Amino acid sequence: MPTIVVHVMPKPEILDPQGKAVGAALPRLGFEGFASVRQGKRFELQVEGDVTDEVLTQARDAAATMLSNPVIEDVVAVEVVD
Amino acid sequence: MARIGVVTFPGSLDDRDAARAVRLADGEAVNLFHTDADLQGVDAVVLPGGFSYGDYLRAGAISRFSPIMERVVDAARGGMPVLGICNGFQVLTEVHLLPGSMIKNEHLHFVCRDQVLRVENASTAWTGDYEAGQEITIPLKNQDGQYVADERTLDELEGEGLVTFRYVGWNPNGSRRDIAGITNGRGNVVGLMPHPEHAVEPGFGPDSRLNGRRGTDGLAFFTSAIRELVTTG
């Protein structure tokens, strides 16, 4: 079944408290060399049938209006994975 | 008697406390359910605190699409008083009745404390019984309470006097410009993170020697709205 993957990230200018906490924990576990971490969301939309332009448009609309809040988040990618 | 609806979403926690606050302010509390398609003729609506839909996706994000919210948005645009407390405030931002959004507290901890606020705008539908500049103490309890908006929006809120409450003494969640609550241009929609409905009866609210044994500072939210409804009738 084809899948549309939507990636949502906190806007660069918005402080990301979760990413900051993860970033601070990395060196404590011995993972060195990472300057910072930002944490986002990945949605997988399983498609019934083929991924038509219409389906893709619907996924993009859903990403912009529901899966993300444009005040605090950006949709960074909407891609089809088979 | 003014009839104030309190909406229950799946995961609402403070709907009963909000209804009780309405009754203590001499109003009639009307229980509304998220699947209701009408407002049963209420004069005002409270969106209570809690974790509606488990805060899945984003706090308040899924409640926005419930049938009752369509009616609430229409009524709010028509001027009906609407108060969003905590999760209710998050719903109001998700549904775009108020600008900005809430993200996780800066320090990532859940906060539960008695919080001092300054009433910055005493001419909204929900703050008329306060005086501008008055300091009040009501409980605060949240995980996603950090109010954020872009600088232009924040400047507009400040410039138009729409910042309704500000944290005093300590900013408990990293909110921009110490903002605890805001209103819309018309003043009928108010959202805030702290909980006035938990400070409405002596002995059950913030009640210490330090704050002068008050503990009922939240009651004026409800009396304000009821007074306005009765006088504008």
Side-chain angles (χ1 to χ4, degrees), chain B residues 2 43-44 79-81 124-125 188 224-233:
Chain B
D43 305 302
M80 190 183 74
T124 77
N188 63 307
S224 298
I226 289 166
R227 190 184 318 280
E228 176 166 304
L229 289 168
V230 169
T231 50
T232 58

Short mmCIF file of all heavy atoms in Angstrom, two decimals, chain B residues 2 43-44 79-81 124-125 188 224-233:
data_model
loop_
_atom_site.label_atom_id
_atom_site.label_comp_id
_atom_site.label_asym_id
_atom_site.label_seq_id
_atom_site.Cartn_x
_atom_site.Cartn_y
_atom_site.Cartn_z
N ALA B 2 -28.60 34.49 33.89
CA ALA B 2 -27.66 34.23 32.79
C ALA B 2 -27.33 32.74 32.72
O ALA B 2 -27.06 32.11 33.75
CB ALA B 2 -26.39 35.04 33.00
N ASP B 43 -26.02 31.94 26.99
CA ASP B 43 -25.62 33.33 26.78
C ASP B 43 -24.11 33.48 26.68
O ASP B 43 -23.60 34.53 26.26
CB ASP B 43 -26.11 34.19 27.95
CG ASP B 43 -27.61 34.05 28.16
OD1 ASP B 43 -28.36 34.34 27.23
OD2 ASP B 43 -28.03 33.64 29.27
N ALA B 44 -23.38 32.47 27.15
CA ALA B 44 -21.92 32.52 27.14
C ALA B 44 -21.41 31.09 27.23
O ALA B 44 -22.17 30.18 27.57
CB ALA B 44 -21.40 33.33 28.33
N GLY B 79 -20.25 37.87 18.91
CA GLY B 79 -20.10 38.68 20.11
C GLY B 79 -20.40 37.97 21.42
O GLY B 79 -20.30 38.57 22.49
N MET B 80 -20.76 36.69 21.38
CA MET B 80 -21.05 35.98 22.62
C MET B 80 -19.78 35.83 23.45
O MET B 80 -18.73 35.49 22.91
CB MET B 80 -21.63 34.60 22.30
CG MET B 80 -22.18 33.90 23.54
SD MET B 80 -22.78 32.23 23.17
CE MET B 80 -21.22 31.39 22.99
N PRO B 81 -19.88 36.06 24.78
CA PRO B 81 -18.69 35.87 25.62
C PRO B 81 -18.23 34.41 25.64
O PRO B 81 -19.04 33.50 25.85
CB PRO B 81 -19.17 36.30 27.02
CG PRO B 81 -20.34 37.20 26.77
CD PRO B 81 -21.00 36.64 25.54
N THR B 124 -12.76 43.57 29.35
CA THR B 124 -13.28 42.46 28.55
C THR B 124 -14.57 41.96 29.20
O THR B 124 -14.93 42.36 30.31
CB THR B 124 -12.28 41.28 28.49
OG1 THR B 124 -12.35 40.56 29.73
CG2 THR B 124 -10.85 41.76 28.27
N ALA B 125 -15.24 41.05 28.48
CA ALA B 125 -16.49 40.49 29.01
C ALA B 125 -16.26 39.70 30.29
O ALA B 125 -17.18 39.49 31.07
CB ALA B 125 -17.13 39.58 27.96
N ASN B 188 -14.82 40.00 23.79
CA ASN B 188 -15.76 38.96 24.24
C ASN B 188 -15.10 37.60 24.41
O ASN B 188 -15.58 36.76 25.15
CB ASN B 188 -16.95 38.84 23.28
CG ASN B 188 -16.55 38.39 21.89
OD1 ASN B 188 -15.66 39.00 21.26
ND2 ASN B 188 -17.17 37.35 21.38
N SER B 224 -18.29 38.88 36.36
CA SER B 224 -18.13 39.90 35.31
C SER B 224 -19.02 39.57 34.12
O SER B 224 -19.77 40.42 33.62
CB SER B 224 -16.69 39.98 34.82
OG SER B 224 -15.79 40.34 35.83
N ALA B 225 -18.91 38.32 33.64
CA ALA B 225 -19.67 37.92 32.45
C ALA B 225 -21.16 37.98 32.74
O ALA B 225 -21.95 38.45 31.92
CB ALA B 225 -19.26 36.52 32.02
N ILE B 226 -21.56 37.51 33.92
CA ILE B 226 -22.99 37.47 34.25
C ILE B 226 -23.54 38.88 34.37
O ILE B 226 -24.62 39.18 33.86
CB ILE B 226 -23.20 36.65 35.54
CG1 ILE B 226 -22.95 35.16 35.22
CG2 ILE B 226 -24.59 36.87 36.12
CD1 ILE B 226 -22.80 34.27 36.42
N ARG B 227 -22.78 39.79 35.00
CA ARG B 227 -23.23 41.18 35.13
C ARG B 227 -23.41 41.80 33.74
O ARG B 227 -24.41 42.44 33.46
CB ARG B 227 -22.21 42.00 35.94
CG ARG B 227 -22.72 43.38 36.31
CD ARG B 227 -21.65 44.20 37.02
NE ARG B 227 -20.90 43.43 38.00
CZ ARG B 227 -21.34 43.16 39.22
NH1 ARG B 227 -22.51 43.61 39.61
NH2 ARG B 227 -20.60 42.46 40.06
N GLU B 228 -22.43 41.54 32.86
CA GLU B 228 -22.52 42.13 31.51
C GLU B 228 -23.74 41.57 30.77
O GLU B 228 -24.47 42.30 30.11
CB GLU B 228 -21.25 41.87 30.71
CG GLU B 228 -21.38 42.39 29.29
CD GLU B 228 -20.06 42.47 28.54
OE1 GLU B 228 -19.16 43.15 29.06
OE2 GLU B 228 -19.97 41.88 27.46
N LEU B 229 -23.98 40.27 30.92
CA LEU B 229 -25.12 39.64 30.23
C LEU B 229 -26.43 40.19 30.75
O LEU B 229 -27.37 40.41 29.99
CB LEU B 229 -25.07 38.13 30.41
CG LEU B 229 -23.95 37.42 29.66
CD1 LEU B 229 -23.79 35.99 30.14
CD2 LEU B 229 -24.21 37.46 28.17
N VAL B 230 -26.50 40.43 32.06
CA VAL B 230 -27.74 40.91 32.65
C VAL B 230 -28.00 42.35 32.24
O VAL B 230 -29.12 42.72 31.89
CB VAL B 230 -27.68 40.77 34.19
CG1 VAL B 230 -28.84 41.51 34.85
CG2 VAL B 230 -27.72 39.30 34.57
N THR B 231 -26.93 43.17 32.21
CA THR B 231 -27.15 44.60 31.90
C THR B 231 -27.37 44.84 30.42
O THR B 231 -28.11 45.74 30.04
CB THR B 231 -25.97 45.48 32.39
OG1 THR B 231 -24.75 44.90 31.92
CG2 THR B 231 -25.95 45.60 33.89
N THR B 232 -26.73 44.00 29.56
CA THR B 232 -26.93 44.20 28.12
C THR B 232 -28.12 43.38 27.64
O THR B 232 -28.61 43.60 26.54
CB THR B 232 -25.69 43.83 27.30
OG1 THR B 232 -25.37 42.47 27.55
CG2 THR B 232 -24.52 44.71 27.64
N GLY B 233 -28.55 42.41 28.50
CA GLY B 233 -29.68 41.55 28.37
C GLY B 233 -30.14 41.24 27.01
O GLY B 233 -31.14 40.84 26.64
#
